[in-house]
Amino acid sequence: MQHQGAAHPVADTNAGAEANVNAKAGDSADVNAPRHLYAAVSPHLGGTCQAQLAGAVAQIADAFSAQGGKITSLAVFFRDPGQARQVDLLLRELYGAGKMPATSYIDQAPCDERSLVALEATGVAGDATVEYHSPQVTVVRYDGVAWVQTGHSAARGHWHTGNAYDRSVQAMRQTKRLLASVGASMDQILRTWFYMGGIVADDAGGAPGTQRYKELNRARTDCFRHIDFLAGRVPGPAGRTVYPASTGIGMAGDDVRLSVLALMTDRSDVLAVPLENPRQVAAFDYGQHYSPQSPKFSRAMAVVHGDQATTYISGTASITASETQHLGDAARQTEETLENIAALIGEENLAGHGLPGFGTGLRGLGLVRAYVKHLEDYPAVRAICEQRLGGIPIVYAIGDVCREDLLVELEGIAHSARPGAPGA
Ligand code: 3EB
């Protein structure tokens, strides 16, 4: 990995390039067992998007190599989405041919007003092989398991004739092609991120009064109808409802983009367990008034590999049952959201889903992303997250949550290990 970005120092970054190590990864006797690495950088200095980007990329590279690891995915948050093409060219140059990780371009401004760009990265250290297939697909292999991360094309198509439904379908078809390029398929998806411009607006290309997010849900329902997600990997009775964990969030412009994480393995002992939240109605059972075709996602997806669990937590908001709580109060919405996440990944819920011993708390989180609707709420949201989550990497970006009354949404990745298991 090249470090020429160091020529544009961005010292004193917000969250810094903190590598959160999954302390319990692998057998304690096996120092080479793969470890997940996470970083978030919201640069303060550097006068241009390019300078900030180069500095942040170098910081992440340094932090990951200090852990003996490599980057596996990158998410770029833009203040000026018009920079995407330039940023893509610069990233290709910085990483070098065949070394650029799957990158997602998210047209959401970093909350830190000094940041022209913010980066979130995942990485892996230890006995794992990282294959950089293209700037849109990374495959990580270890222990007979392949993780496939997809990203976005920086090229902006001439979408303007497409309606929200068609563009959502196009995003899913593109993802299907990307997965197929490495031998993976849609039913292996365990996590989706849907980014949608104007998510709560009426769909200009659709019937009058049709909200764009509802059209995304209609498209997703149609595309997912015949997909048997993670078949054979989900314990319990056959025929239960299984959808990936997900985020559905607004961004600037009118594009629709999808990133996914998929799991490819012949191993039958690697489990994928969709989690629901005891404090919430399942999203796929939401009432019709919310969206005629319900949002097809699970509250989280726990992947269990030996005595380790990695839990992908969907975008989570201040909803209990199916009602928004704390109207107009971003601080209390943040607290409620953290309560929801704590309940979701707690021992009682994991045991209730057939995974006793794999519960954890907010301390189990390795990475969090915070979407804030109004910039004025950022200080309060950040203060609460830092107080409750400590120094883990967190990107804060401006995004419309897909319900008008929600002011904040949090997603993340948690790690836990079953105690008492051999090597735990
Ligand atoms: C909610 O709990 C908030 O449409 O994929 C969160 C996560 C939300 C994912 C999606 C929507 C989605 O209903 C909204």
Side-chain angles (χ1 to χ4, degrees):
M1 225 176 267
Q2 298 175 46
H3 289 218
Q4 62 208 61
H8 308 275
V10 287
D12 182 31
T13 51
N14 174 11
E18 173 157 349
N20 179 305
V21 175
N22 174 12
K24 290 182 179 146
D27 298 342
S28 50
D30 180 2
V31 292
N32 287 321
R35 283 170 294 130
H36 293 257
L37 306 178
Y38 302 111
V41 185
S42 198
H44 289 177
L45 306 177
T48 66
C49 179
Q50 278 75 11
Q52 289 195 343
L53 180 87
V57 164
Q59 266 191 305
I60 291 167
D62 289 349
F64 285 180
S65 50
Q67 298 285 330
K70 289 180 179 170
I71 189 166
T72 55
S73 75
L74 189 63
V76 185
F77 300 81
F78 289 98
R79 186 163 304 286
D80 173 8
Q83 296 284 319
R85 201 77 194 88
Q86 301 298 331
V87 162
D88 179 66
L89 290 172
L90 182 55
L91 287 174
R92 286 166 193 259
E93 192 186 313
L94 292 172
Y95 284 107
K99 296 239 172 79
M100 179 164 160
T103 299
S104 296
Y105 294 101
I106 305 162
D107 297 346
Q108 295 178 337
C111 288
D112 188 319
E113 291 177 280
R114 295 165 295 185
S115 303
L116 300 171
V117 71
L119 298 185
E120 176 196 270
T122 66
V124 68
D127 264 348
T129 314
V130 182
E131 300 168 9
Y132 301 105
H133 282 266
S134 78
Q136 293 178 74
V137 189
T138 310
V139 181
V140 180
R141 295 179 196 275
Y142 56 80
D143 208 12
V145 182
W147 300 76
V148 184
Q149 175 73 55
T150 70
H152 306 150
S153 166
R156 296 288 166 260
H158 299 284
W159 300 103
H160 297 276
T161 52
N163 59 33
Y165 180 92
D166 290 342
R167 286 161 64 166
S168 301
V169 170
Q170 283 161 5
M172 287 182 268
R173 288 204 179 126
Q174 171 64 6
T175 294
K176 186 175 180 175
R177 283 192 292 271
L178 290 174
L179 291 174
S181 75
V182 293
S185 51
M186 294 290 278
D187 57 291
Q188 293 170 322
I189 294 174
L190 51 100
R191 177 71 164 95
T192 60
W193 289 262
F194 286 94
Y195 305 99
M196 181 177 232
I199 195 164
V200 292
D202 277 2
D203 186 20
T210 311
Q211 188 202 47
R212 286 169 60 78
Y213 178 61
K214 292 181 181 174
E215 290 295 273
L216 187 162
N217 282 323
R218 192 161 68 85
R220 174 167 51 183
T221 298
D222 289 346
C223 290
F224 284 6
R225 185 166 289 130
H226 303 293
I227 302 176
D228 193 3
F229 285 102
L230 302 159
R233 217 161 280 300
V234 181
R240 58 179 287 198
T241 307
V242 180
Y243 294 116
S246 184
T247 293
I249 194 80
M251 64 175 182
D254 61 358
D255 211 355
V256 179
R257 294 184 205 141
L258 172 61
S259 308
V260 305
L261 182 64
L263 182 73
M264 244 191 326
T265 180
D266 293 331
R267 287 180 56 156
S268 56
D269 60 329
V270 176
L271 307 179
V273 183
L275 305 180
E276 286 306 316
N277 195 317
R279 304 177 88 231
Q280 299 184 304
V281 170
F284 48 80
D285 288 334
Y286 277 166
Q288 295 228 342
H289 63 281
Y290 175 67
S291 181
Q293 283 78 30
S294 65
K296 301 296 189 290
F297 72 92
S298 298
R299 296 297 179 184
M301 183 66 71
V303 179
V304 178
H305 185 161
D307 61 346
Q308 305 292 321
T310 305
T311 303
Y312 294 87
I313 300 162
S314 292
T316 304
S318 176
I319 296 172
T320 60
S322 53
E323 308 312 317
T324 300
Q325 302 299 327
H326 317 300
L327 292 177
D329 187 336
R332 289 174 67 198
Q333 287 200 8
T334 306
E335 301 274 13
E336 193 77 60
T337 300
L338 290 169
E339 290 308 312
N340 278 337
I341 292 174
L344 181 63
I345 62 178
E347 176 59 21
E348 200 176 323
N349 198 43
L350 272 288
H353 284 83
L355 296 175
F358 286 103
T360 183
L362 296 178
R363 82 200 98 80
L365 291 166
L367 180 69
V368 163
R369 201 189 280 180
Y371 304 99
V372 180
K373 182 167 180 169
H374 303 298
L375 183 59
E376 70 217 45
D377 293 329
Y378 165 53
V381 172
R382 183 175 165 192
I384 293 165
C385 287
E386 286 182 352
Q387 186 215 330
R388 300 283 303 274
L389 306 177
I392 66 167
I394 308 179
V395 164
Y396 299 88
I398 300 292
D400 269 341
V401 188
C402 54
R403 270 192 206 193
E404 286 283 9
D405 48 16
L406 292 171
L407 302 175
V408 59
E409 183 171 308
L410 303 178
E411 61 173 61
I413 306 174
H415 293 274
S416 57
R418 187 173 50 197

